[in-house]
Amino acid sequence: MSIERRGRVYRRCSCRDETGRQLGQSCPRLATDGKHGTWYYAVDMPPAPGGKRRTMRRGGFPTKAAASKALTDVTNRTAIGVRVDDRETVAAFLERWLQVKAGESKATTLRSYRAHVENVIVPAIGHLPIERLRAEHVEQLLDDAAVGRGPQTVRRIHATLRSALTYGVKTRRLPYNVASNVTPPNGARPEVQPWTAGELATFLRHVETDRLGPLFEVVAACGLRRGEALGLRWCDLDLSNRTARIRQTVVDVGGRLRFDTPKTRASEATVSMTERAVHALAQVRLGQELDRAAWGDAYEDHDLVFARENGAPLRPEYVTRRFVALSKAAGLRQVRLHDLRHGAASLMIAAGVPIAVVSKMLRHSSIGITADIYHHLNEDTARAASDAMGALLEAAFATASASGGDHTATTAGTAGTEELTEADETAGQLRGPRGDRTHNPRIKSPLLCQLS
């Protein structure tokens, strides 16, 4: 037996005497057979909240070194104030974490967390004790999760586990976060390919007579998220100033609809509307007055702009299905309903609206998110700006050449004149009497040569 800090390591067996009593450490074979029995450790734990002393005993280790290593791990954890419970599994820990998140997360966020935990993480590593979870387990989890899933989804699964383990570190349940240094797949974000202006116009003309047509008009004009459009209220609108304030969203939680706050704090903002959108909303109001009269006292008044005939909120999945059906009927290539929001951004960028303004219109939490999503559209805009600048330079050069005539260099050696050297001829420049270089309008620069 040896002493390890506040604990001890010892060997015992399961042999029994004539009465059936287990011999444990007193078995005579332990002194003569070094392979008999297994190794255990015992360590005094911090007192429980009631002040009662506790001793942790664990055994079954094949060697003394293995038992000593396990004991050292326990004493190191308790020394830095980490709670030790080697029987709590990853599944049990994540369930506790989800209960905590239920009181502070949005319903849609919690639903995403739970889907990742129950469908991916727990089936793979839920059986492991949380204290034995290592980086290699997380790496294997992400590798397995990548089969049949895109990089974005795998990164979200990794973010869920990392968030849960961060909670464990903050609450002194874990000494460190084993998922922090694991790198998820680095797949590029897929480029958004929303409808062009012509395709969008075709769709909006096709849905003009559909009950949900005005909803799609407003989503496309304002870049709203689906839930934000469904949660829009008349009290949030100022039709005279063509503005809408985003204050709530409709979410589906386990089949039940509920109102929630927008996705982020930046999402709670005022957006501008087009004249077309305002006209569409005026038509919606007239239709709702007819619905209200038809339903009478049975009408559910939530002050919603877009609602069912009885005033109840529209189901998000129904709106998506209707969008898909209408876009197919219009003969258009398939895009997501959310791509109407992307389309609003792409049209603004194509029109030359600064990316900072686009970011504010979409109510992203940072301009970096906007730039990351629409980087390829920014490149197109930058290319168009470069072409426009080149055209202006070419026009200016043509004007200067037409008005100034042909300029030639005079004979070398005359005071105040300029000499053209062979090297400068190639570079498109002149060298003066003192060696200084001046522009020669007769010789085009490489950039202008390309534009000509």
Side-chain angles (χ1 to χ4, degrees):
M1 182 177 67
S2 62
I3 303 297
E4 298 283 347
R5 297 187 182 179
R6 298 193 318 274
R8 60 194 181 95
V9 173
Y10 56 94
R11 190 157 53 105
R12 58 171 296 167
C13 68
S14 57
C15 296
R16 299 178 182 275
D17 60 15
E18 297 82 0
T19 63
R21 184 175 64 86
Q22 196 172 76
L23 296 177
Q25 299 180 62
S26 61
C27 178
R29 289 183 57 190
L30 294 174
T32 60
D33 186 355
K35 295 183 179 181
H36 185 65
T38 56
W39 288 90
Y40 286 70
Y41 74 79
V43 59
D44 294 332
M45 302 299 292
K52 184 178 179 180
R53 294 184 59 186
R54 298 179 299 154
T55 300
M56 174 184 285
R57 292 182 176 85
R58 298 290 184 267
F61 298 97
T63 64
K64 177 182 178 181
S68 297
K69 182 179 178 181
L71 173 60
T72 300
D73 183 58
V74 171
T75 55
N76 287 345
R77 287 171 179 259
T78 56
I80 60 176
V82 173
R83 181 170 63 88
V84 176
D85 180 3
D86 59 355
R87 290 173 178 166
E88 183 179 37
T89 63
V90 171
F93 169 80
L94 291 176
E95 183 58 36
R96 284 199 302 111
W97 173 70
L98 287 173
Q99 292 174 4
V100 172
K101 300 303 288 185
E104 59 187 38
S105 298
K106 295 186 179 301
T108 51
T109 303
L110 182 64
R111 182 174 58 193
S112 177
Y113 285 155
R114 188 167 289 280
H116 294 160
V117 168
E118 295 179 351
N119 300 334
V120 182
I121 302 175
V122 166
I125 60 175
H127 63 285
L128 293 173
I130 186 64
E131 294 175 2
R132 296 185 187 177
L133 183 64
R134 298 293 181 263
E136 51 266 30
H137 297 133
V138 180
E139 291 173 348
Q140 187 62 53
L141 164 70
L142 298 182
D143 287 344
D144 294 342
V147 178
R149 297 183 179 89
Q152 283 281 81
T153 302
V154 178
R155 283 198 292 270
R156 292 191 185 103
I157 294 170
H158 175 252
T160 296
L161 180 59
R162 188 180 64 229
S163 177
L165 298 181
T166 296
Y167 162 78
V169 174
K170 288 181 178 179
T171 56
R172 310 303 292 170
R173 178 65 187 87
L174 299 171
Y176 52 87
N177 188 338
V178 298
S180 294
N181 294 326
V182 176
T183 303
N186 192 25
R189 182 193 292 269
E191 291 185 355
V192 295
Q193 296 294 337
W195 283 331
T196 64
E199 290 172 317
L200 178 59
T202 298
F203 175 76
L204 293 179
R205 280 197 302 268
H206 180 77
V207 301
E208 281 179 343
T209 58
D210 191 87
R211 182 179 179 86
L212 294 185
L215 185 151
F216 299 132
E217 181 82 47
V218 171
V219 169
C222 304
L224 300 185
R225 301 176 178 93
R226 181 182 63 178
E228 293 171 347
L230 298 183
L232 200 61
R233 297 170 299 185
W234 291 108
C235 64
D236 299 327
L237 302 182
D238 184 349
L239 298 183
S240 60
N241 290 318
R242 294 192 289 118
T243 60
R245 185 166 183 186
I246 311 304
R247 293 183 178 179
Q248 68 174 12
T249 183
V250 172
V251 295
D252 185 339
V253 182
R256 300 185 62 181
L257 299 183
R258 55 177 284 188
F259 297 108
D260 202 351
T261 55
K263 183 177 181 181
T264 64
R265 178 168 296 182
S267 299
E268 298 187 48
T270 300
V271 298
S272 298
M273 296 184 292
T274 62
E275 289 285 0
R276 284 181 54 90
V278 171
H279 178 72
L281 290 173
Q283 297 302 313
V284 171
R285 174 157 263 171
L286 291 176
Q288 277 193 358
E289 291 176 359
L290 297 176
D291 290 338
R292 191 187 302 271
W295 283 81
D297 293 340
Y299 189 82
E300 297 182 25
D301 192 357
H302 298 284
D303 196 34
L304 293 174
V305 175
F306 304 110
R308 301 173 64 180
E309 291 85 348
N310 66 344
L314 288 163
R315 286 200 164 274
E317 64 274 14
Y318 166 74
V319 175
T320 297
R321 290 198 304 268
R322 189 62 183 157
F323 171 78
V324 172
L326 289 170
S327 60
K328 286 182 178 179
L332 295 168
R333 61 186 173 91
Q334 287 301 294
V335 298
R336 303 170 305 164
L337 174 58
H338 192 72
D339 286 331
L340 291 185
R341 172 175 165 85
H342 290 317
S346 65
L347 292 178
M348 283 189 284
I349 292 173
V353 178
I355 192 69
V357 177
V358 175
S359 181
K360 187 174 181 63
M361 287 285 292
L362 296 181
R363 292 158 293 114
H364 285 156
S365 57
S366 72
I367 191 175
I369 294 176
T370 314
D372 185 33
I373 296 175
Y374 305 107
H375 65 91
H376 63 295
L377 298 177
N378 287 330
E379 292 170 0
D380 293 341
T381 303
R383 190 178 300 108
S386 178
D387 292 343
M389 180 186 70
L392 288 174
L393 287 174
E394 188 173 5
F397 176 77
T399 301
S401 297
S403 61
D406 187 26
H407 297 276
T408 57
T410 60
T411 304
T414 305
T417 62
E418 297 171 325
E419 59 178 353
L420 183 63
T421 67
E422 183 178 353
D424 290 332
E425 177 83 30
T426 304
Q429 293 182 335
L430 293 173
R431 186 180 301 278
R434 293 173 297 179
D436 58 320
R437 295 190 174 193
T438 57
H439 175 67
N440 177 12
R442 183 170 61 85
I443 301 174
K444 291 184 179 181
S445 70
L447 171 63
L448 294 178
C449 288
Q450 294 175 5
L451 296 173
S452 299

